């Protein structure tokens, strides 16, 4: 409502005053759009060449068609500063009181789950569209708890309104991995945001942690990954922990859940694992009861084709980093125009 009143005033204002009012109205609309979190574009804004500092201008020709105009679009500056976005993400990673002191692992999970819905046969799903902003995808069981990550990124989206949610979600995962000591992940922008839930993929496209090797190959094969890439991507479990109130499972995979390393593979190979005796779903624990593995994790050492790759990564972190960077970059590019292999 505030934006509409400002626009009405702008139409009636003298030319000299009108420019100032239009600028104010634009900022008002931008704030309303950010608060909704929808990114659906209720304002037609263009970031001009001088807009890198946050100055917005109305696109030429719209001043005479303010009423009944088509839905607005926000475009990037001539030289969008993705480095500044990365810095803003890094600044919110570490925090006392959340899990192990870092939002990094949950941002990696957000990027992974945003992209891991891709289906190469139909060309649907994937990171392009950022459809997890909408129900029903936001409410899929595999995405429980990811509202934490999406909400964390909202102030950054408001600060850099030109970046799409789809690019922001994936860049956040890349930045978090690198900030936690992981490899440099090749990443390129170019994703667009879906306007509504019609593009949401069906439930069931993400891995079910309670199943085994055949399920893993089915899920990853749908996206186009081979066995080596599957094991490499599974190495993301070197980060973070499971939460009983989200997935039903409980505990971290390693004793360094905020450091990206090959420790996950070392634990799989060198530790002793037994079924956890508890009222929750089947999972495995070490003799200390502090660390856990999921059935999908154990499948990597029970399967004769996965196991040699696990052994290799447990011994050679450099090779794991190289393979993970390539596979994760590929994952985030699936379904993105001009990027997917």
């Amino acid at each position: 409502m505030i934006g509409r009143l400002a626009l009405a005033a702008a139409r009636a204002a003298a030319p000299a005053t009108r420019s100032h009012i239009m600028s104010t109205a634009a900022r008002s609309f931008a704030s309303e759009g950010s608060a909704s979190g929808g990114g659906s574009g209720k304002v037609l804004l263009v970031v001009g060449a001088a807009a890198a500092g946050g100055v917005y201008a109305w696109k030429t020709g719209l001043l005479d068609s303010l009423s009944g105009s088509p839905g607005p679009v926000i475009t990037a500056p001539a030289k969008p500063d993705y480095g500044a976005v990365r810095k803003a993400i890094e600044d919110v990673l570490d925090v006392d009181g959340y899990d192990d002191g870092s939002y990094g692992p949950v941002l990696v999970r957000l990027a992974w789950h945003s992209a891991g819905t891709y289906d190469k046969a139909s060309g649907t799903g994937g990171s392009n569209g950022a459809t997890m902003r909408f129900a029903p995808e936001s409410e899929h069981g595999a995405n429980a708890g990811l509202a934490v990550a999406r909400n964390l990124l909202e102030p950054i989206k408001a600060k850099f309104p030109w970046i799409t949610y789809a690019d922001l979600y994936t860049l956040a995962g890349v930045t978090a991995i690198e900030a936690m000591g992981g490899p440099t992940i090749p990443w390129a922008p170019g994703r667009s945001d879906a306007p509504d839930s019609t593009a949401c993929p069906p439930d069931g496209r993400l891995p079910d942690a309670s199943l085994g090797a055949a399920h893993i190959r089915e899920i990853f094969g749908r996206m186009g990954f081979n066995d080596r890439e599957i094991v490499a991507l599974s190495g993301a479990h070197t980060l973070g922990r499971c939460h009983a109130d989200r997935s039903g499972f409980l505990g971290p995979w390693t004793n360094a859940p905020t450091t990206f390393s090959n420790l996950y593979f070392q634990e799989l190979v060198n530790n002793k694992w037994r079924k956890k005796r508890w009222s929750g779903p089947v999972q495995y624990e070490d003799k200390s009861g502090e660390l856990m593995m999921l059935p999908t994790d154990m499948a990597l050492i029970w399967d004769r084709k996965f196991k040699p790759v696990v052994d290799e990564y447990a011994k050679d972190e450099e090779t794991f980093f190289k393979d993970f960077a390539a596979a994760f970059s590929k994952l985030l590019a699936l379904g993105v125009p001009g990027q997917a292999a």
Side-chain angles (χ1 to χ4, degrees), residues 93 95-106 145 148-149 243 246 258:
L93 290 181
V95 60
D96 292 333
Y98 180 78
D99 274 5
D100 301 286
S102 174
Y103 283 113
V106 75
V148 170
H243 303 77
R246 297 179 186 177
T258 62

Side-chain angles (χ1 to χ4, degrees), residues 24 52-53 78 88 114 132 145 179 188 194 220 239 255 265 269-270 304 308 322 324:
T24 303
S114 293
M132 200 194 297
F220 284 85
L239 298 172
N255 285 310
F265 296 109
V269 171
N270 300 323
R304 64 182 181 85
K322 175 177 65 68
F324 179 86

Side-chain angles (χ1 to χ4, degrees), residues 35-228:
S36 69
S40 58
K42 295 298 181 183
V43 191
L44 184 43
L45 296 177
V46 173
V47 182
V55 179
Y56 298 94
W58 286 89
K59 186 174 181 180
T60 304
L62 289 180
L63 293 177
D64 296 325
S65 60
L66 292 174
S67 59
S69 62
V73 177
I74 296 178
T75 58
K79 294 183 179 180
D81 191 350
Y82 291 101
V85 180
R86 283 178 177 264
K87 178 62 167 58
I89 294 168
E90 291 172 355
D91 288 345
V92 300
L93 290 181
D94 297 332
V95 60
D96 292 333
Y98 180 78
D99 274 5
D100 301 286
S102 174
Y103 283 113
V106 75
L107 290 179
V108 175
R109 182 169 167 247
L110 174 66
W112 208 119
H113 285 214
S114 293
T117 58
Y118 184 70
D119 174 46
K120 65 179 181 179
S122 64
T124 60
S127 65
N128 198 47
T131 52
M132 200 194 297
R133 292 171 294 144
F134 308 113
E137 187 178 354
S138 61
E139 298 171 357
H140 289 171
N143 294 328
L146 286 178
V148 170
R150 297 192 301 270
N151 292 339
L152 180 71
L153 296 176
E154 279 298 329
I156 296 175
K157 181 66 170 76
K159 184 176 181 180
F160 304 98
W162 48 264
I163 190 170
T164 62
Y165 279 99
D167 277 345
L168 179 59
Y169 289 177
T170 53
L171 182 58
V174 166
T175 301
I177 288 169
E178 296 173 4
M180 291 184 287
T184 299
I185 311 292
W187 177 90
R191 296 160 189 81
S192 59
D193 289 339
D196 53 45
S197 64
T198 55
C200 285
D203 199 359
R205 287 192 177 181
L206 294 169
D208 183 335
S210 68
L211 300 179
H215 169 74
I216 297 172
R217 286 194 174 93
E218 177 186 356
I219 293 294
F220 284 85
R222 187 200 68 239
M223 293 183 273
F225 291 108
N226 60 35
D227 281 1
R228 189 175 186 87

